[in-house]
């Protein structure tokens, strides 16, 4: 059998181990916060995490979705968690992350060792139907943990008005008073302002990194991006993550300059939409047997990245307030920037109409030179799968080849591996892409 000659050079990411170390540090810091005299809080990946940073440098959080996704990669523990939640009376068709997260509490088991670390307070926001409802269930189990939730459903960003931004600002301002009351700590405006600047930097830098994947060959594949994008969901306002993304940006620029590929035999470029089935990331390895690289998705680009239209008409990293010469001096100014910045988040738009997700995906398909789109009918996430059938029709109408598969990001019992691989075979045949090995 002839040996396949690789088309492009490949090499491991130099900052890969640092990413894993930072992620582990995050979960250990949360676990050990009380032992070290700090404060713990829990909330979703979209929480305004810059705000609690105003309470001090020893405040650590856990975001429920990335934590549940980490458990989901451990199939045995994930099923144990979900079965514990279902046994407690919660329906199997609820959010998979919610069932895993609640199950971790019910089993009193923390993925990074020991009992589940109880938070001092819950700081959540609400745009997906399950966000605050998840933590209402947590409060049923831990009724002495106080909770504050912010309604961020102010409207789609393309028609946003000042009074809609003020709706968020007023809630954040009230939340600061609540945080001072439940923690007994005085809120430090300077720390909050610094955290807001860090959030703008983290989310803009991640978008810039994703922009570099326009290159051929793509310097990053989506499977690797899952390990890298996560810092935008763990703590957008963390200064360490700003520095990590700066380091990553430099490395990805270098990979583009030297033609380093994520997939050595790239001959087909795909994009996806939602969370993958975390226990079956080998789907991406199977795509590689066709020389197919998934260069990203609205999920990896838009969950932790903030974007804007550039003067040349392309989609690029949003210019930060600091780059625009804005000096943030007061709490009120920081609250406004914090609210307005988050309202432009790409993944918040499709909650208002499927057309927003269709338009963004078509844009990524065109500007990143993709050959096809894979949509996940994700039973585990009511939010990211909202309107996905309409997205399929819209993208097909726009001339994009689309494949769908059904699964669940966190529940392996609802993913048919063989059937999914078979659908990939058919999709590749339709695209005219030959299997390489």
């Amino acid at each position: 059998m002839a040996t396949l000659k690789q088309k492009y050079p490949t090499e491991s990411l130099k900052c890969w181990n640092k990413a894993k170390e930072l992620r582990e540090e995050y979960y250990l810091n949360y676990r050990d916060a009380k032992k070290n005299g700090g404060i713990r809080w829990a909330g979703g990946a979209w929480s305004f995490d810059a705000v609690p940073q105003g309470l001090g440098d020893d405040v650590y959080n856990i975001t429920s979705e990335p934590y549940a996704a980490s458990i989901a990669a451990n199939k045995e523990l994930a099923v144990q968690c979900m079965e514990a939640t279902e046994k407690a009376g919660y329906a199997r068709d609820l959010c998979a992350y919610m069932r895993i997260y609640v199950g971790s509490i019910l089993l009193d088991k923390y993925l990074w060792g020991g009992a589940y670390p109880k938070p001092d307070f819950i700081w959540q926001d609400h745009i997906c139907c399950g966000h605050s409802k998840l933590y209402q269930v947590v409060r049923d189990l831990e009724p002495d943990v106080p909770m504050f939730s912010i309604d961020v459903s102010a409207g789609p960003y393309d028609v946003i008005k000042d009074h809609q931004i003020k709706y968020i600002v007023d809630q954040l301002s009230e939340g600061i008073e609540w945080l001072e009351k439940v923690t007994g700590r005085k809120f430090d405006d300077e720390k909050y302002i610094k955290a807001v600047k860090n959030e703008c930097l983290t989310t803009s830098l991640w978008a810039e990194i994703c922009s570099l994947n326009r290159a051929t060959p793509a310097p990053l594949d989506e499977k690797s991006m899952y390990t890298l994008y996560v810092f935008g969901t763990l703590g957008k306002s963390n200064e360490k993550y700003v520095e990590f993304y700066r380091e990553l940006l430099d490395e990805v620029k270098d990979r583009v300059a030297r033609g380093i590929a994520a997939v050595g035999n790239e001959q087909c470029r795909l994009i996806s939409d939602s969370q993958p089935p975390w226990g079956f990331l080998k789907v991406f390895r199977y795509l590689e047997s066709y020389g197919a690289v998934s260069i990203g998705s609205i999920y990896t680009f838009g969950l932790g990245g903030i974007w804007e239209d550039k003067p040349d008409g392309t989609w690029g990293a949003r210019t930060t307030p600091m780059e625009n010469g804005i000096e943030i001096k007061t709490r009120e100014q920081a609250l406004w920037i914090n609210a307005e910045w988050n309202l432009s988040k790409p993944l918040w738009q499709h909650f208002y109409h499927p057309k927003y997700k269709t338009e963004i995906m078509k844009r990524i398909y065109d500007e990143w030179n993709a050959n096809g789109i894979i949509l996940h009918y994700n039973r585990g996430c009511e939010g990211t799968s909202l309107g996905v059938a309409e997205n399929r029709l819209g993208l097909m109408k726009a001339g994009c080849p689309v494949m769908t598969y059904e699964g669940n990001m966190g529940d392996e019992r609802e993913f048919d591996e063989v059937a999914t691989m078979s659908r990939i075979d058919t999709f590749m045949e339709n695209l005219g892409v030959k299997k390489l090995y």
Side-chain angles (χ1 to χ4, degrees):
M1 184 176 175
T3 303
L4 180 67
K5 185 179 178 183
Q6 189 167 297
K7 194 172 174 185
Y8 302 109
T10 57
E11 64 180 38
S12 302
L13 278 165
K14 296 181 180 70
C15 61
W16 187 254
N17 288 336
K18 185 171 182 179
K20 294 173 74 174
E21 288 166 7
L22 282 172
R23 180 167 160 269
E24 183 175 33
E25 179 187 71
Y26 168 86
Y27 287 109
L28 294 181
N29 279 342
Y30 176 78
R31 185 192 66 184
D32 300 334
K34 304 302 289 182
K35 187 169 63 181
N36 298 322
I39 288 179
R40 286 196 294 242
W41 64 272
W46 282 333
S47 298
F48 288 85
D49 64 76
V51 177
Q53 292 306 112
L55 297 173
D57 296 330
D58 58 348
V59 179
Y60 301 97
N61 67 311
I62 185 169
T63 44
S64 48
E65 299 95 328
Y67 175 67
S70 297
I71 293 180
N74 180 334
K75 295 178 190 175
E76 185 179 348
L77 179 57
V79 170
Q80 286 176 20
C81 288
M82 287 185 286
E83 287 181 345
T85 303
E86 289 153 16
K87 188 178 177 183
Y90 298 101
R92 186 170 163 171
D93 60 353
L94 291 171
C95 168
Y97 285 163
M98 174 266 184
R99 285 182 287 139
I100 292 173
Y101 186 78
V102 169
S104 179
I105 296 172
L106 288 166
L107 295 174
D108 199 19
K109 188 179 288 187
Y110 190 57
L111 184 60
W112 273 264
Y116 184 81
K118 193 174 177 180
D120 293 297
F121 63 86
I122 295 167
W123 176 256
Q124 174 64 309
D125 62 1
H126 190 84
I127 189 164
C128 175
C129 57
H131 278 167
S132 291
K133 290 297 178 186
L134 185 165
Y135 282 102
Q136 281 186 343
V137 173
V138 172
R139 287 210 68 212
D140 287 342
L141 301 172
E142 299 172 331
D144 55 332
V145 178
M147 171 177 168
F148 192 93
S149 188
I150 297 160
D151 175 18
V152 297
S153 54
Y157 186 70
D158 63 342
V159 293
I160 209 76
K161 301 287 190 300
D162 281 357
H163 71 274
Q164 293 163 296
I165 300 171
K166 186 174 183 298
Y167 174 61
I168 310 297
V169 170
D170 287 348
Q171 292 179 77
L172 291 172
S173 186
E174 182 186 339
I176 289 174
E177 293 177 13
W178 178 86
L179 286 171
E180 289 185 316
K181 184 179 177 183
V182 299
T183 65
R185 291 195 178 189
K186 184 170 174 53
F187 192 81
D188 187 320
D189 287 344
E190 290 302 315
K191 289 186 184 300
Y192 174 52
I193 290 169
K194 182 180 178 183
V196 170
K197 289 179 181 176
N198 285 338
E199 175 174 343
C200 293
L201 287 167
T202 304
T203 50
S204 180
L205 282 166
W206 175 247
E208 192 173 352
I209 292 164
C210 296
S211 293
L212 293 171
N213 239 19
R214 285 182 169 94
T216 301
L220 298 172
D221 66 302
E222 190 172 16
K223 183 175 181 294
S224 301
M225 293 171 83
Y226 291 138
T227 296
L228 304 169
Y229 88 103
V230 74
F231 300 106
T233 68
L234 298 180
K236 302 175 285 295
S237 60
N238 189 321
E239 192 170 16
K240 280 189 177 181
Y241 303 159
V242 175
E243 295 309 313
F244 176 71
Y245 277 163
R246 283 186 171 135
E247 184 180 335
L248 176 62
L249 178 63
D250 287 343
E251 184 175 352
V252 177
K253 282 180 178 175
D254 177 61
R255 288 172 71 92
V256 172
R258 293 188 294 121
I260 304 298
V263 173
N265 292 301
E266 178 184 317
Q267 61 174 351
C268 174
R269 297 163 67 90
L270 305 170
I271 66 170
S272 66
D273 70 325
S274 177
Q275 304 96 319
W278 292 113
F280 296 90
L281 292 181
K282 59 185 174 184
V283 168
F284 293 95
R285 294 284 176 247
Y286 189 66
L287 288 171
E288 289 177 17
S289 69
Y290 282 95
V293 57
S294 183
I295 55 87
S297 62
I298 185 174
Y299 177 75
T300 48
F301 286 13
L303 185 62
I306 300 292
W307 300 73
E308 68 182 2
D309 292 330
K310 294 297 183 185
D312 65 359
T314 61
W315 207 40
R318 185 169 174 186
T319 308
T320 66
M322 296 77 79
E323 289 171 321
N324 278 327
I326 297 172
E327 187 179 354
I328 308 174
K329 296 179 179 177
T330 65
R331 178 192 297 186
E332 292 70 25
Q333 194 184 5
L335 286 169
W336 190 273
I337 289 171
N338 202 184
E340 193 273 344
W341 188 265
N342 275 277
L343 285 169
S344 71
K345 199 182 294 291
L347 266 187
W348 281 8
Q349 310 312 310
H350 79 280
F351 286 101
Y352 301 105
H353 198 285
K355 71 175 184 177
Y356 290 109
K357 179 175 172 180
T358 301
E359 288 170 359
I360 293 172
M361 291 201 69
K362 178 65 167 60
R363 192 166 196 177
I364 297 172
Y365 174 86
D366 288 338
E367 293 186 23
W368 275 256
N369 298 311
N371 304 106
I373 297 173
I374 297 179
L375 297 177
H376 184 187
Y377 283 11
N378 183 359
R379 293 185 186 183
C381 184
E382 293 90 340
T384 58
S385 59
L386 184 68
V388 67
E390 286 82 357
N391 299 139
R392 172 181 171 269
L393 293 174
L395 290 164
M396 290 173 64
K397 188 176 179 182
C400 306
V402 179
M403 169 197 145
T404 62
Y405 70 99
E406 194 165 338
N408 190 307
M409 64 199 179
D411 193 340
E412 67 158 329
R413 298 169 297 181
E414 294 188 342
F415 179 69
D416 187 335
E417 180 182 346
V418 174
T420 302
M421 299 304 190
S422 177
R423 291 179 78 86
I424 289 173
D425 290 337
T426 303
F427 189 52
M428 289 295 134
E429 185 177 347
N430 289 339
L431 291 177
V433 179
K434 302 286 186 186
K435 203 168 190 177
L436 300 175
Y437 54 87

